[in-house]
Amino acid sequence: MRGFFTPIVGALAALFATFAVPVSAQEEEPRWSIAIHGGAGTIARENMTEEQDAAYRAALQRALDAGAAVLREGGTAMDAIQAAIEPMEDDPLFNAGRGAVLTWDGAIELDASIMDGRTRDAGAVAGVTGVRHPIDLARKVMTDSPHVMLSGKGAETFAEEQGLETMPLDWFETERRRESLERMKAQSLSAIDVDVKFGTVGAVAIDQDGNMAAGTSTGGMTGKRWGRIGDAPIIGAGTYADNRSCAVSATGWGEFFIRVGVAQEICTRLRYRYQLEIDAAQREVPLTSDGEPSYIIHASEFALEAGQAQEEIDAVIGEVGALGGDGGVIVITSEGHALFSMNTSGMYRGRMTSDGPGEVAIYSDE
């Protein structure tokens, strides 16, 4: 992996300061970053009461604090994202775990995925019921099975074999989600008309060792039929992590995120953008009298700027929009930048790094 918060060294430090972390960073405490989301969509201030606004911000802060605590104490990115996602799976404000939307038949079918950027191991589950923390089950698929994705009854059997916590089905259901399904059927609405926001939850992180992880959990779309599966449990669409570039978790209209392959597309673009920028920097190195570069820039001495990464992330979300889809992503880069991108009026989100107290936000102009 290219350097995580690694400084430029040597006589050319000043020349390449634009691309590098200051040398003083070598003496700082180990660095880490985390970002979370709780869904994106048509989220407008005028449609939120002060109480609702405060409730979402408090829920996001709890999840963010849980994940950050793991990283602050030297824990792994994998443990941090699970610690951040599980409180949101338990919170009926979000469409994941308890509070998940209902299928056309009034059932709850849960999807989740997780990926380790260090090894690119991954696990996912789709269409499961009764499992309190689908993100935990996805991780067990990764670590305790030879597979990447399990679905339905098979995934539930595996969860039972692993001794994972289950809850009665009525624990997951909320009146708000029941009303949404009834309104959808009574008024012949589409899932998009009912779900003005996508309540999928997710987290991405980089730990003190420079390892990254990503995870996503969801109940899908109101009134989904025929075993519909969105992007959340699909590695490369809704979730992806690769220490060479970034970790991504997505939320939005899953069909479009699948078609674009959003999560892996972002990571791939960042890898290529990094190479383009390092090549450009190398061309600026003074030449010797023999016409050879006086210095070769090493990957460990170079970092992609946050703005450069943001351009690539925004381009992918722009591609989703061009096809007719909407939603957003959270991204952690290998340099530790915690970034957001969305083409909706809001996304429940938060981020924190070892540099400061962090932030939570809802609306796109925050």
Side-chain angles (χ1 to χ4, degrees):
M1 178 187 141
R2 63 179 187 268
F4 171 44
F5 298 104
T6 306
I8 295 285
V9 294
L12 292 179
L15 178 62
F16 300 113
T18 302
F19 307 105
V21 179
V23 174
S24 61
Q26 288 181 318
E27 302 173 358
E28 295 178 0
E29 293 296 318
R31 312 293 292 276
W32 52 266
S33 299
I34 186 170
I36 65 169
H37 71 74
T42 307
I43 307 170
R45 282 185 177 84
E46 57 268 26
N47 297 330
M48 294 273 283
T49 67
E50 290 185 7
E51 292 77 13
Q52 289 172 327
D53 182 291
Y56 274 104
R57 291 179 191 273
L60 290 168
Q61 192 65 58
R62 285 192 295 271
L64 189 60
D65 288 343
V70 173
L71 297 172
R72 188 179 296 112
E73 295 168 7
T76 68
M78 288 290 292
D79 286 344
I81 63 166
Q82 185 171 345
I85 289 172
E86 288 189 354
M88 293 190 284
E89 289 180 325
D90 278 346
D91 195 323
L93 287 175
F94 303 108
N95 174 20
R98 190 179 195 187
V101 298
L102 303 182
T103 69
W104 185 262
D105 297 323
I108 289 176
E109 296 176 352
L110 306 172
D111 307 329
S113 62
I114 196 167
M115 188 166 184
D116 186 340
R118 182 178 63 87
T119 59
R120 279 182 284 169
D121 287 338
V125 293
V128 301
T129 61
V131 177
R132 180 174 180 176
H133 292 299
I135 194 67
D136 190 17
L137 177 54
R139 188 171 181 179
K140 285 292 187 181
V141 172
M142 184 187 81
T143 60
D144 290 71
S145 88
H147 308 298
V148 170
M149 179 181 282
L150 300 179
S151 66
K153 295 297 183 184
E156 292 163 15
T157 298
F158 178 74
E160 183 178 357
E161 292 174 355
Q162 294 297 312
L164 298 189
E165 184 177 7
T166 60
M167 299 296 285
L169 299 184
D170 59 4
W171 182 84
F172 295 89
E173 185 177 327
T174 62
E175 183 59 33
R176 179 170 66 123
R177 301 304 191 187
R178 173 64 62 183
E179 186 278 332
S180 292
L181 178 63
E182 293 172 351
R183 181 160 51 90
M184 177 184 186
K185 291 183 174 182
Q187 300 178 24
S188 299
L189 301 174
S190 70
I192 301 301
D193 292 325
V194 173
D195 294 325
V196 295
K197 59 181 182 297
F198 305 95
T200 298
V201 307
V204 292
I206 185 167
D207 60 33
Q208 294 184 24
D209 293 323
N211 294 319
M212 287 185 279
T216 312
S217 183
T218 189
M221 301 181 80
T222 297
K224 61 183 180 181
R225 306 174 77 175
W226 311 299
R228 180 264 184 188
I229 297 171
D231 65 304
I234 298 179
I235 301 302
T239 302
Y240 202 76
D242 183 345
N243 275 12
R244 297 175 298 174
S245 55
C246 66
V248 182
S249 176
T251 174
W253 195 341
E255 280 69 14
F256 292 92
F257 280 69
I258 292 170
R259 289 163 61 188
V260 175
V262 165
Q264 187 174 19
E265 177 74 3
I266 288 172
C267 289
T268 299
R269 288 197 185 207
L270 291 188
R271 284 177 60 200
Y272 280 99
R273 178 63 180 267
Y274 171 80
Q275 191 59 54
L276 288 174
E277 296 296 337
I278 199 171
D279 289 346
Q282 184 64 58
R283 289 194 293 270
E284 297 300 318
V285 172
L287 301 180
T288 67
S289 58
D290 297 328
E292 298 295 328
S294 58
Y295 183 78
I296 301 298
I297 300 176
H298 297 281
S300 62
E301 302 170 343
F302 192 87
L304 199 63
E305 294 178 351
Q308 295 165 338
Q310 189 72 58
E311 289 174 0
E312 300 301 325
I313 298 164
D314 289 345
V316 177
I317 294 302
E319 189 175 341
V320 171
L323 292 179
D326 56 7
V329 292
I330 54 174
V331 180
I332 292 286
T333 72
S334 59
E335 294 81 13
H337 305 309
L339 305 172
F340 308 126
S341 185
M342 71 199 84
N343 63 0
T344 54
S345 61
M347 180 167 70
Y348 300 114
R349 62 198 187 276
R351 59 186 168 189
M352 187 181 298
T353 74
S354 49
D355 289 332
E359 61 178 340
V360 296
I362 297 176
Y363 314 108
S364 60
D365 59 0
E366 293 186 79

